[in-house]
């Protein structure tokens, strides 16, 4: 491209798109008015014809043609459009194409394209080849104009491009699978990239077809492609770094993003490579995780606005160019040839799909003939075909008389494909049932619609109680706000059920929906700061990779690709540790009378002795370079021999001194053995040189001497001792990074499994499907918990650092949220808010330099981690005197089912597995006959978990068996010491333990209902936000619905005194219940109070819960109304 620019600068005449040079003074100030007019006209047409984009572009093209005809016959109008006509074709391409290419590439899912890369690449190459050959033949055969071979081929290549912007727009609006949308777009991007490289080489060096046989041209093309991709990859890295800065604001990010797009394109083109291919690489390497949520939305909006405006300008501009020609050249055959081209374009697309169908059927189990029919009509032409059309005339060997005919044919065919192909493609997809919603998807939509309708009804009910709204016509409000679910599918429910009757088919449909839920969970965790961006990117990539694998639920082992890397790093570190030189100071007591041995002892074990040996090796580098350089060696033979003797004397002296002191222990160190071997080789080398002087004509001896001379290079191997500690430190850092990343990945995966478990009820058609999905998700979660425990055991310091960093991030995020609230209420002004925000962001940015590892605390410090001891130094000191450190090996049993508890265990390090039947919660089997006692329950316990709290409180037999999965350390508090603490700190200590157990049980089973409650342990203790009530058998408790938001039975059982309906733990008691009576020996109820703020803003909370419709189960409404 650089040579093309220089050629353009050297050209004397103007480079016109069409028409004749002006022979009058040109005034360009009115051209801007023309551009503004086109933009306004396009906007008005788009507003009036919302669903008819092809009609808008047709009207703009005809308007441009009319303006062009006016310019042809009027000097005044010609003055206005002349700046357009004198603009070079490549300049127009450079103005408009970068932003559109970037937008299309950014919208393509990199992971889907990566999984189908070879299929997409082959599809693109086959499409490019067939279009070039067949269209070229048709143009040569049927075109009456005198176009040369090169013009015909360039025209066929231009017309064969599938526009990436328009080819899938109609499919996106009817719910087609994104995999096929990205397949079509990926193919379009590959064709555009190949064409841009092809045209770029023509512009840059004026290549003709006879030269393409040369090998250097092919190599140049390959280097251009690789260079463009590499440059685009690093530009994407730079953009990521810019957007990752926490201090960057939205406006700066948008400006930098747009400017980087154009700068990348121009720099790559200036270097003689393909700017289009570079921008494709940039767009594919940026994903939704790169942008902050608001910035991504704004940038996407800007890209869509500019692409729409650019498209309107392009079609109008080329309409003007066509109109500037003479009408005599337009004949009846022009229409015939356009029809031939349109028909050929679609036949070529059909042939391409027939050729690639076996490849696509092999790569995707969903692909069939119906998809082939739809994709056949996706060969839509658009702006890229138009932008390259003027280059056909500029790059042709023989110039034609009517250059605007190239543009006319391309523009008309593109409008025909936009109108006809888009309509046929959309109708085909609908008729062939390719946009039908699956049963799990329909069920999810029904549940969502029902949930929203219930929220609307609750809002209306709450609003009716407000005095200011007493005269509202609530019947009309209810009628106008009623929402009914209308399925978006084009088939009936009966047809859908006939289509998917087997459990396997229903599970497969639900699996795809679970994968979508997981990806949404990963992205949400990233946006909330819970998940690192690299971990989120790996998890999303793995989910999308296994999305297309039939019957495959992604497990933690599928995403732990870094485990192999970590294993390789561990082996590498083991080798380095083996090679690490450690000078062992032996127990040597030199005799008092032998001052010589004492002197040697101090020399050998001094730091200076080691440094001297390394310096000798470094100094020998220069003589070795002279020895390896033949010309210099011949001039300094005697000097090199003398230097060799000198250095060998130093090596002998060093080894002799070590052997005198170390004796046989000298050879126990591998580095000493290597040095001794180097010494022996050096002595042999000296003897070889000596014997060569005696026998100068012995060829074998001379060859041996030459070989021994080159072996002197092994004298530098001891220098590796200096590098080994550095490499060990680098390996340690990388291992810690991988451990940290793997821990973050595993935590994010566990959270996604929990989110999916909350939502599978909404997508399960039958109860059996729900049970199977729940078992699969629970199994995968337990595997991930086990993996998490192993990581914690392997890298305790890394996990502690990661947890500490996450805790700091959560605290700062909470502070930022509160700061936003204070600013929105006017409590602090914007300036103060900005200053405080900067301070918090600085602390957040400082986490980038947070240490990768923090040494674990001593066992007694772990008592501070017990939540019911937190902040109470008296309690901590009391148990610190009595706590003991318990150590277990792999396979040891900590406690066994049926035994009485000995105390509680706080796990400090390691992992244990807990086996038990389903927990009874203090309910006898006679009270609950429906309980399945045969169901086994498995849980992994890791650092920070406490074993035996409930059994120690109740002094009852243990219901589970805990076995060590790794070596384990635990802080043990005996039962006697615990009850001594109860007596000393009665009743607060025992109550705190019950409160902690009640809160954990409530969150474990009713997290979706309590998601809006801030039930932190310390808040519950200090402000009584939630408290525990105790009921014995036959004791009663009244429930006040005005002050009690939730009443949750966490242990035991109760009955409703009015209806005698039993409630067994764990259970949320419904609002209809006014009084309960205990039916177990001991029942514990967690009561969550309704605060005044909650009561005042209950209406706001109800409406805000709409945003979490897909994050919660359908039952969690405001208060306890959903439990009625």
């Amino acid at each position: 491209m650089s040579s093309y620019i220089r050629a353009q600068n050297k050209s004397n005449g103007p480079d016109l798109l069409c028409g004749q040079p002006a022979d009058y003074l040109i005034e360009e100030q009115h051209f801007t008015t023309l551009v503004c007019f086109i933009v306004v006209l396009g906007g008005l047409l788009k507003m009036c014809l919302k669903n008819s984009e092809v009609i808008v572009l047709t009207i703009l093209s005809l308007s441009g043609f009319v303006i062009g005809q006016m310019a042809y016959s009027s000097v005044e109008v010609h003055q206005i459009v002349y700046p357009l006509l004198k603009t070079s074709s490549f300049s127009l391409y450079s103005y408009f194409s970068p932003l559109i290419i970037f937008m299309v590439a950014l919208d393509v899912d990199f992971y889907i394209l990566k999984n189908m890369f070879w299929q997409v690449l082959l599809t693109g190459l086959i499409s490019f080849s067939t279009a070039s050959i067949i269209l070229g033949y048709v143009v040569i055969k049927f075109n009456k104009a005198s176009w040369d071979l090169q013009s015909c081929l360039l025209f066929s290549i231009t017309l064969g491009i599938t526009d990436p912007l328009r080819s899938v727009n109609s499919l996106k609006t009817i719910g087609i699978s994104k995999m096929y949308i990205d397949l079509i777009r990926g193919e379009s991007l590959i064709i555009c990239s190949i064409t841009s490289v092809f045209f770029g080489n023509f512009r840059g060096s004026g290549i003709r077809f006879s030269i393409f046989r040369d090998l250097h041209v092919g190599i140049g093309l390959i280097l251009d492609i690789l260079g463009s991709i590499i440059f685009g990859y690093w530009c994407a890295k730079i953009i990521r770094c810019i957007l990752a800065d926490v201090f960057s604001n939205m406006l700066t990010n948008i400006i930098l993003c747009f400017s980087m797009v154009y700068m990348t394109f121009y720099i790559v083109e200036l270097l003689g490579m393909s700017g289009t291919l570079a921008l494709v690489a940039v767009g594919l390497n940026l994903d939704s995780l790169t942008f902050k949520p608001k910035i991504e939305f704004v940038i996407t909006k800007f890209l869509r606005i500019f692409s729409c405006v650019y498209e309107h300008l392009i079609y109008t501009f080329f309409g003007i160019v066509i109109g500037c020609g003479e009408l005599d050249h337009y004949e009846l055959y022009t229409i015939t040839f356009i029809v031939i081209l349109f028909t050929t374009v679609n036949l070529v697309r059909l042939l391409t799909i027939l050729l690639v169908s076996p490849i696509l059927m092999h790569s995707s189990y969903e692909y069939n003939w119906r998809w082939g029919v739809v994709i056949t009509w996706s060969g839509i032409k658009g702006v890229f075909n138009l932008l390259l059309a003027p280059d056909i005339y500029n790059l042709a060997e023989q110039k034609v008389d009517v250059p605007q005919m190239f543009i006319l044919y391309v523009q008309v065919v593109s409008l025909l494909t936009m109108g006809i192909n888009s309509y046929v493609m959309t109708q085909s997809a609908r008729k062939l049932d390719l946009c039908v919603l699956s049963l799990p998807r329909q069920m999810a939509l029904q549940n969502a619609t029902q949930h929203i309708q219930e929220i609307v009804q609750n809002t209306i009910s709450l609003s009716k109680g407000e005095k200011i709204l007493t005269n509202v016509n609530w019947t009309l409000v209810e009628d106008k706000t009623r929402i009914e679910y209308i399925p978006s599918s084009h088939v009936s429910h009966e047809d859908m059920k006939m289509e998917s009757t087997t459990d396997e088919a229903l599970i497969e449909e639900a699996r795809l929906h679970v994968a979508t839920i997981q990806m949404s969970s990963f992205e949400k965790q990233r946006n909330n700061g819970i998940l690192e961006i690299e971990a989120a990117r790996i998890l999303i990539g793995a989910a999308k990779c296994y999305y297309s694998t039939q019957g495959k639920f992604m497990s933690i082992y599928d995403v732990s690709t870094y485990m192999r890397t970590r294993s390789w790093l561990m082996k590498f570190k083991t080798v380095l540790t083996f090679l690490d030189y450690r000078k062992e100071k032996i127990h040597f007591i030199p005799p008092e009378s032998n001052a010589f041995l004492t002197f040697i002892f101090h020399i050998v074990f001094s730091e200076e002795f080691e440094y001297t040996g390394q310096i000798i090796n470094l100094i020998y580098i220069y003589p070795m370079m002279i020895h390896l350089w033949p010309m210099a060696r011949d001039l300094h033979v005697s000097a090199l021999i003398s230097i060799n003797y000198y250095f060998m004397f130093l090596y002998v002296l060093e080894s002799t001194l070590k052997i005198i002191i170390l004796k046989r222990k000298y050879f126990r160190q591998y580095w000493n053995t290597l040095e001794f071997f180097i010494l022996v080789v050096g002595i042999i080398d000296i003897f070889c040189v000596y014997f060569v002087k005696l026998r100068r004509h012995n060829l074998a001896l001379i060859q041996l001497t030459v070989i021994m001379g080159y072996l002197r290079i092994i004298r530098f191997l001891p220098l590796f001792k200096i590098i080994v500690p550095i490499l060990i430190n680098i390996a340690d850092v990388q291992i810690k990074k991988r451990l940290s990343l793997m821990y973050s990945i595993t935590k994010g995966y566990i959270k996604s499994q929990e989110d999916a478990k909350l939502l599978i009820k909404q997508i399960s058609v039958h109860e059996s499907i729900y049970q199977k999905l729940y078992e699969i998700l629970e199994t995968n979660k337990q595997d991930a918990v086990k993996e998490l425990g192993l990581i914690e055991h392997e890298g305790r310091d890394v996990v502690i650092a990661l947890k500490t960093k996450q805790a700091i991030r959560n605290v700062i995020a909470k502070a930022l949220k509160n700061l936003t609230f204070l600013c929105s209420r006017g409590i602090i002004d914007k300036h103060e808010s900005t200053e405080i925000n900067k301070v918090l962001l600085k602390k957040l940015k400082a986490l980038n330099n947070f240490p990768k590892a923090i040494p674990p605390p001593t066992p007694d410090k772990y008592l501070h981690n017990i939540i019911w001891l937190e902040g109470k130094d008296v309690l901590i000191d009391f148990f610190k005197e009595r706590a003991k450190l318990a150590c277990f090996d792999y396979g040891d049993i900590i406690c066994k089912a049926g035994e009485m508890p000995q105390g509680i265990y706080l796990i400090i390090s390691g992992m244990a597995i807990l086996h038990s039947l389903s927990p009874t919660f203090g309910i006898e089997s006679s009270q609950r006959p429906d309980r399945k006692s045969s169901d086994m329950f498995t849980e992994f316990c890791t650092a920070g978990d406490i074993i035996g709290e409930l059994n120690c409180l109740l002094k009852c037999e243990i219901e589970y068996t805990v076995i060590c999965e790794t070596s384990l350390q635990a802080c043990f508090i005996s039962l006697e010491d615990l009850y001594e603490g109860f007596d000393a700190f009665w009743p607060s200590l025992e109550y705190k333990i019950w409160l902690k157990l009640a809160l954990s049980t409530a969150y474990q089973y009713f997290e979706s209902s309590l998601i809006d409650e801030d039930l932190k342990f310390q808040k519950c203790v200090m402000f009584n936000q939630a408290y525990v009530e105790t009921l014995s058998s036959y004791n009663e408790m009244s429930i006040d619905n005005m002050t009690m938001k939730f009443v949750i039975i966490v242990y035991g059982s109760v009955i409703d005194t009015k209806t005698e309906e039993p409630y067994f733990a764990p259970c949320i008691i419904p609002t209809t219940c006014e009084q309960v009576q205990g039916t177990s020996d001991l029942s514990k109820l967690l009561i969550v109070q309704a605060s005044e703020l909650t009561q005042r803003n209950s209406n706001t909370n109800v409406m805000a819960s709409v945003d979490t419709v897909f994050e919660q189960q359908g039952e969690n409404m405001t208060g306890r109304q959903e439990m009625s």
Side-chain angles (χ1 to χ4, degrees), residues 451 455 1012 1100-1109 1112 1116 1118:
H451 184 70
I455 292 173
D1012 294 327
T1100 305
N1101 291 339
V1102 169
M1103 296 305 296
S1105 64
V1106 177
D1107 296 333
T1108 57
V1109 63
Q1112 307 177 28
N1116 61 310
T1118 300

Side-chain angles (χ1 to χ4, degrees), residues 145 294 320 338 518 567 630 756 1080:
K294 293 182 180 179
I320 294 172
I338 289 172
Q518 288 179 324
S567 176
S1080 298

Side-chain angles (χ1 to χ4, degrees), residues 647-678:
F647 276 94
M648 283 307 303
F649 169 73
L650 295 177
Y651 291 146
V652 171
L653 179 62
E654 180 186 4
S655 298
T656 303
L657 292 176
K658 287 184 178 180
I659 291 173
I660 289 174
I661 297 299
L662 298 175
K663 296 182 175 59
R664 294 180 181 178
K665 292 183 179 180
Y666 173 81
F667 295 99
R668 294 180 183 177
Q669 176 62 257
Y670 295 102
W671 287 107
N672 291 339
T673 306
L674 176 63
E675 290 174 357
F676 188 78
F677 174 75
I678 293 171

